[in-house]
Amino acid sequence: MWKRLKSLNIRQQLYSIYFIAIFLPITIIGTFLLVNNSRILTNYHHDLLDSDNQRVKTILFEITTQFFNISRDIAVNRDIQDILTRTHDSERDFIEHVNDMTILEQYTVNYADVEVIEIYTDNPTVSAYKQFIPVCEDIAALDWYQKALNQASVFWLSTVTEDRFGNEYWNLCLVQRIPLVRSGVNAVIVLKVSDNYLKTRLDSGMYKTTLSVDDNLAFFSSNREDYGKPQKIEIDLAADNFSFRGDVIIDGIRYMAEVSTQRMYQSESKVYITVLDNEAYRNIRNITSTSLAIIILSIIIPGIIIHFFTIYFTRRIFTLREAMHRVSQEDYVITDSVKGADEVSEAFADLEIMVEQIKEKDARMYETLIKEKDLENEQQVMEFKMLASQINPHFLYNALETIRMKAFTTGDKEVATAIKLLGKIMRYVLENTGTNFTTLEKEISHIETYLAIQKLRFGEKFVYHLDVAPEISLQEYNILPLLLQPVVENAVLHGLEEMESDGVLRIHIYQEAPNLIIEIKDNGGGMTAQELNDLKQSIEIRSPEKSTSIGLYNINQRMKLCYGEQYGIEIVSNPGAGTCVRMMLPV
């Protein structure tokens, strides 16, 4: 068969595949599914009915268990037993005792399923007040009252209450005798289940649910008209655990029915639960009809689609083949005429991407040639700058040395010494440009050279002292280069320049574990509090508008970047008491 298919063209192959893969399978499988699904749907709706029936049984068990516990607690409550067995002096005395006892009100308030609690008693001193009802002859003759007196266990029944407008209300009630030992008084408690609570919990809105207890009439139904009427389905009351599952005809309507029996907690009473569904068979018919229509359409529509798709598909294949042929002839101008998101369109898209990549590679080759030429030009500029940077320092050193020798030969030794010191400073600065660290000894030597130049200028107007703690090794300790010179320069120019004599500059280096402290003090005029505050701000935050304190700002930032945010400089100054700059570095 496959060999025969290969000998056909694409259109014939598609028609043959349609008949083999679509028409025959859908016809056979569709017939089977229609029959099988009808059976499955019937079982499914029966299972839904059973599930809802079990839901009702669970809720009833929860409510009846809770009511049994409430009834038991009330029956053994000493306050209630005391009221029932006591001989009350007057009606007022009885009312006062009842008002002192609030347990019954708490049950009706705290439990939404409790509608009414009634306690019937033949105690002649008990009046009709709140939950307490005296037993009259009519009540004493009722079957449920006599049954309660003659058995110790609880039982359930359905009762009807009529309001003043003649409306009847049915309730499920728990009845239990209250044991009053050797009192000579009888008492029966009746707990009524709230019908509104049952409707809220039990009414699913999908099915018709009817409940009855023992041989009583229905005390609950999702259809209000069925209250106080017998069950729609005949129930065998003699059966120990009656159940029914099947179809019933009620008032000419076919229902799917589920009936079960729920034994009440700690009681011989039984509740019969009937759940009816009149929509099940209608839904099954609708689904079966829809399925049949879908099967027919599933046969017809693919045949129509195959016909038009064959024409469309062969046209796209021809277009792709033609475009590939043009590319193979190095003709990269192709038109995007194959639209869609299938493999054919993806193949055409890959062809377009391949063409674009070829064009991009040609463009990148051209750009690479241009960039190589630019790099060669930039390399030549950088080599020229490097040669110039190597020439300039040597030129400056040679020029300064020539000037110094000229001054020395003319006998101006002071100028010669100043030039020599300046050259030494320039050499230190250039040697440490771009380096990360230098020794503290070299940094101190640079400061002494700088102060020697300042001494040539100021003469004996100031003196400086260098105090280094014995435990500090200047040769072994590393420091950022050019870190101290701006601070010393500020101390000389701003602190000591205006002094006529007795100026003192002190550099104190000591260890304050775990840090190294360098203090640079002067005994100049100092600063006011406002000036000191402005200076501290300019050191921490650089302002583009200000050109002062640049050196101190740079030093502070270098220390924080290199050592950490906890390191930096501190400034202490008072008017007339000089200024102290304290630099803290890690040991």
Side-chain angles (χ1 to χ4, degrees):
M1 183 179 67
W2 294 113
K3 292 182 179 180
R4 185 175 181 181
L5 282 175
K6 291 179 181 179
S7 63
L8 303 175
N9 58 38
I10 293 179
R11 178 177 296 181
Q12 293 172 338
Q13 290 181 18
L14 289 175
Y15 284 135
S16 299
I17 291 174
Y18 161 75
F19 181 78
I20 296 171
I22 297 178
F23 182 82
L24 286 179
I26 289 179
T27 302
I28 296 171
I29 296 174
T31 304
F32 170 77
L33 289 178
L34 283 176
V35 177
N36 190 58
N37 285 347
S38 178
R39 178 179 57 82
I40 292 175
L41 288 171
T42 302
N43 293 333
Y44 169 74
H45 282 283
H46 274 299
D47 291 340
L48 288 179
L49 278 178
D50 180 68
S51 176
D52 192 73
N53 198 293
Q54 293 297 325
R55 178 186 67 86
V56 174
K57 292 175 70 173
T58 302
I59 295 173
L60 279 178
F61 179 80
E62 172 192 335
I63 295 173
T64 56
T65 302
Q66 181 172 274
F67 265 60
F68 175 81
N69 293 330
I70 294 174
S71 174
R72 182 188 56 189
D73 293 343
I74 294 175
V76 298
N77 185 273
R78 292 187 177 181
D79 293 336
I80 296 176
Q81 290 186 353
D82 181 65
I83 293 175
L84 293 172
T85 57
R86 176 190 294 270
T87 301
H88 301 279
D89 297 334
S90 62
E91 182 178 355
R92 180 177 182 181
D93 176 63
F94 167 72
I95 292 174
E96 288 178 355
H97 282 92
V98 173
N99 289 335
D100 291 339
M101 184 266 301
T102 60
I103 184 173
L104 298 177
E105 284 82 357
Q106 292 176 3
Y107 281 120
T108 56
V109 171
N110 296 332
Y111 294 90
D113 50 350
V114 178
E115 180 172 315
V116 175
I117 299 176
E118 296 176 342
I119 298 177
Y120 295 85
T121 179
D122 57 4
N123 186 337
T125 64
V126 171
S127 304
Y129 182 67
K130 289 189 175 180
Q131 296 85 4
F132 294 88
I133 301 174
V135 176
C136 61
E137 293 181 359
D138 293 337
I139 294 176
L142 295 175
D143 292 339
W144 64 264
Y145 183 78
Q146 292 298 323
K147 183 178 179 180
L149 295 181
N150 294 325
Q151 72 177 47
S153 61
V154 302
F155 63 92
W156 297 79
L157 74 157
S158 58
T159 62
V160 60
T161 304
E162 187 174 306
D163 61 13
R164 58 177 181 172
F165 301 105
N167 298 318
E168 292 184 344
Y169 297 93
W170 289 82
N171 295 95
L172 175 64
C173 300
L174 179 146
V175 181
Q176 180 184 9
R177 176 170 60 88
I178 299 177
L180 303 175
V181 182
R182 294 188 298 274
S183 64
V185 176
N186 295 315
V188 177
I189 181 172
V190 177
L191 273 69
K192 292 185 179 181
V193 181
S194 171
D195 181 64
N196 289 333
Y197 181 82
L198 286 179
K199 193 169 187 64
T200 302
R201 293 291 304 275
L202 301 181
D203 193 356
S204 64
M206 295 176 58
Y207 309 114
K208 294 182 179 181
T209 305
T210 305
L211 306 178
S212 62
V213 56
D214 294 334
D215 57 351
N216 295 178
L217 300 176
F219 64 85
F220 173 82
S221 177
S222 53
N223 184 6
R224 196 70 188 176
E225 296 178 356
D226 292 336
Y227 273 82
K229 296 180 180 179
Q231 291 271 18
K232 296 291 185 180
I233 299 176
E234 185 176 353
I235 297 174
D236 184 4
L237 300 177
D240 187 58
N241 192 19
F242 177 78
S243 63
F244 173 81
R245 183 178 189 180
D247 302 337
V248 293
I249 304 296
I250 300 175
D251 299 331
I253 300 175
R254 187 183 182 189
Y255 288 87
M256 191 175 286
E258 187 83 25
V259 183
S260 66
T261 303
Q262 169 71 45
R263 284 191 171 275
M264 306 300 254
Y265 182 71
Q266 296 292 329
S267 173
E268 295 298 325
S269 299
K270 293 180 289 187
V271 172
Y272 298 101
I273 305 167
T274 300
V275 181
L276 302 175
D277 184 7
N278 65 332
E279 297 292 332
Y281 290 108
R282 183 185 304 171
N283 293 336
I284 293 173
R285 286 194 301 271
N286 291 339
I287 294 175
T288 303
S289 301
T290 303
S291 300
L292 180 60
I294 291 174
I295 292 172
I296 296 173
L297 291 176
S298 299
I299 295 174
I300 296 175
I301 293 177
I304 298 173
I305 294 175
I306 287 292
H307 174 71
F308 291 102
F309 178 76
T310 301
I311 300 173
Y312 168 73
F313 183 74
T314 53
R315 185 186 298 120
R316 297 170 77 233
I317 292 293
F318 176 78
T319 303
L320 175 62
R321 180 184 176 187
E322 182 182 6
M324 294 177 67
H325 179 73
R326 294 177 64 182
V327 173
S328 66
Q329 301 298 319
E330 297 185 358
D331 181 2
Y332 300 132
V333 180
I334 59 176
T335 304
D336 185 6
S337 57
V338 179
K339 305 296 182 179
D342 57 6
E343 288 80 357
V344 177
S345 59
E346 289 177 356
F348 195 89
D350 291 339
L351 179 63
E352 291 180 317
I353 293 173
M354 182 181 68
V355 172
E356 293 298 324
Q357 288 176 346
I358 294 173
K359 293 180 180 178
E360 290 177 1
K361 287 181 180 179
D362 292 342
R364 283 200 296 268
M365 290 178 62
Y366 180 73
E367 292 176 359
T368 301
L369 294 175
I370 295 176
K371 289 181 179 178
E372 287 180 355
K373 189 65 177 178
D374 293 339
L375 288 174
E376 290 178 1
N377 295 336
E378 292 179 2
Q379 185 176 2
Q380 291 177 357
V381 173
M382 291 177 64
E383 290 176 353
F384 174 78
K385 290 182 179 180
M386 289 176 64
L387 292 173
S389 65
Q390 293 175 354
I391 294 172
N392 289 339
H394 292 288
F395 169 76
L396 291 175
Y397 295 148
N398 293 336
L400 287 174
E401 183 63 20
T402 301
I403 296 172
R404 186 181 74 82
M405 293 303 299
K406 183 69 175 177
F408 185 80
T409 55
T410 58
D412 196 343
K413 296 182 178 181
E414 185 175 349
V415 173
T417 301
I419 294 174
K420 179 180 179 180
L421 295 174
L422 178 60
K424 187 176 180 181
I425 288 176
M426 289 183 62
R427 182 177 296 276
Y428 178 79
V429 172
L430 292 173
E431 286 177 351
N432 288 279
T433 300
T435 61
N436 293 327
F437 293 100
T438 186
T439 63
L440 186 56
E441 181 184 32
K442 292 181 180 180
E443 184 74 3
I444 293 299
S445 176
H446 169 65
I447 295 302
E448 290 180 330
T449 302
Y450 170 77
L451 290 174
I453 294 177
Q454 295 298 329
K455 289 286 289 182
L456 292 175
R457 173 185 175 186
F458 293 102
E460 300 301 324
K461 289 177 61 177
F462 78 93
V463 295
Y464 69 90
H465 301 283
L466 176 63
D467 299 330
V468 181
E471 68 273 12
I472 302 298
S473 176
L474 299 180
Q475 298 85 357
E476 296 180 358
Y477 190 84
N478 288 330
I479 189 174
L480 289 171
L482 303 173
L483 197 64
L484 304 182
Q485 186 265 332
V487 181
V488 174
E489 182 178 355
N490 276 353
V492 173
L493 298 181
H494 299 292
L496 303 176
E497 185 176 21
E498 296 181 359
M499 297 185 66
E500 296 296 331
S501 61
D502 299 328
V504 178
L505 177 66
R506 184 177 300 277
I507 302 175
H508 186 200
I509 303 175
Y510 60 95
Q511 183 171 334
E512 189 179 89
N515 300 317
L516 180 74
I517 307 300
I518 302 177
E519 292 183 350
I520 301 174
K521 303 179 182 179
D522 66 75
N523 63 342
M527 291 180 286
T528 64
Q530 182 61 41
E531 291 173 338
L532 179 61
N533 184 61
D534 293 341
L535 179 60
K536 288 181 178 179
Q537 290 185 357
S538 64
I539 291 174
E540 294 295 334
I541 303 174
R542 178 68 183 140
S543 176
E545 292 81 10
K546 295 183 179 180
S547 58
T548 59
S549 306
I550 297 176
L552 294 179
Y553 171 80
N554 290 337
I555 292 172
N556 190 53
Q557 293 302 312
R558 287 175 65 197
M559 292 174 66
K560 290 183 179 297
L561 290 173
C562 182
Y563 301 124
E565 288 294 329
Q566 66 270 34
Y567 298 100
I569 63 176
E570 298 177 358
I571 303 176
V572 179
S573 181
N574 292 295
T579 302
C580 175
V581 178
R582 190 172 187 264
M583 308 174 69
M584 183 171 67
L585 300 89
V587 173

